[in-house]
Amino acid sequence: MVYLQLLSICVSFSAIFISNWLGRKDEDRKFKRSQKLKRYNDFYIPFIKFFYENRPSAYLFFFMVVNGSYKNLYNLIVKNLEYLDPKSTEEFYRLSTDSVDQLQAPANELIKKLNNKDLEGTEIKFNNEQQKSYNRFNDFVLSVLKESECLAEELGLEPIGKSLYDIYSKSIRRPQ
């Protein structure tokens, strides 16, 4: 009889412990999902929208520097830096350290010609460092779009970045 009471107490404690453990696991799962969803909605969706509004091309980065829209993208990224995967964070670091500075001189030259309405025979040459800037930007964009696709699939959402990734990866070429 004592063994039966002792067994009953052990079963009760075990049931409480297991119930508590399962509840915590479920809360952890819900929390992780909500964090991924927040990451997707706060960063990846606005990023994707930005690139639906800007036509993909090998020289998109240059045009964004010229027209000032790169500042908007830069602010979006910096504001949501904690949401980037390590690979994209590394790509962004390389991009932001010197890439924009590399493009400022040809951008200023083009803006000057636009202001003077002197576009006749305009040809802007890009040096190796400037070409690397394009590659860094394009690699960063493709990396983020790929991450958005993977995150959407994890969340069971439609991967809206996939079609943009496909379009963008086919549209860009390494500037020569």
Side-chain angles (χ1 to χ4, degrees), residues 120-138:
E120 187 82 26
T122 298
E123 184 179 341
I124 298 175
K125 301 275 185 190
F126 300 105
N127 64 33
N128 286 340
E129 285 304 311
Q130 292 162 340
Q131 290 175 12
K132 285 180 187 176
S133 296
Y134 291 115
N135 295 344
R136 281 187 204 115
F137 176 76
N138 293 333

Side-chain angles (χ1 to χ4, degrees), residues 17 41 65 83 118 145 153 172:
F17 175 76
N41 288 329
V65 170
Y83 297 138
D118 179 27
L145 291 174
E153 288 175 5
I172 64 168

Side-chain angles (χ1 to χ4, degrees), residues 87-161:
K87 182 180 180 214
S88 292
T89 305
E90 184 179 329
E91 295 282 343
F92 181 66
Y93 175 76
R94 280 194 231 126
L95 176 67
S96 63
T97 53
D98 62 356
S99 294
V100 175
D101 295 338
Q102 290 293 329
L103 298 178
Q104 205 57 58
N108 290 340
E109 181 183 329
L110 181 62
I111 291 169
K112 182 179 172 184
K113 288 184 179 217
L114 285 170
N115 288 338
N116 294 335
K117 296 179 177 134
D118 179 27
L119 294 175
E120 187 82 26
T122 298
E123 184 179 341
I124 298 175
K125 301 275 185 190
F126 300 105
N127 64 33
N128 286 340
E129 285 304 311
Q130 292 162 340
Q131 290 175 12
K132 285 180 187 176
S133 296
Y134 291 115
N135 295 344
R136 281 187 204 115
F137 176 76
N138 293 333
D139 290 345
F140 172 72
V141 171
L142 290 172
S143 175
V144 172
L145 291 174
K146 194 63 167 166
E147 288 170 16
S148 76
E149 185 181 334
C150 293
L151 189 57
E153 288 175 5
E154 281 180 40
L155 292 167
L157 302 172
E158 193 66 34
I160 62 172

Side-chain angles (χ1 to χ4, degrees), residues 7-43:
L7 181 62
S8 174
I9 292 171
C10 288
V11 167
S12 295
F13 277 122
S14 297
I16 291 170
F17 175 76
I18 291 171
S19 174
N20 187 4
W21 181 75
L22 289 174
R24 280 194 316 234
K25 282 291 204 192
D26 188 48
E27 285 299 315
D28 285 347
R29 184 186 56 76
K30 286 177 183 176
F31 177 75
K32 286 179 183 178
R33 178 172 168 62
S34 73
Q35 289 301 308
K36 286 180 181 180
L37 194 56
K38 180 174 175 35
R39 179 180 171 202
Y40 189 72
N41 288 329
D42 290 354
F43 175 67

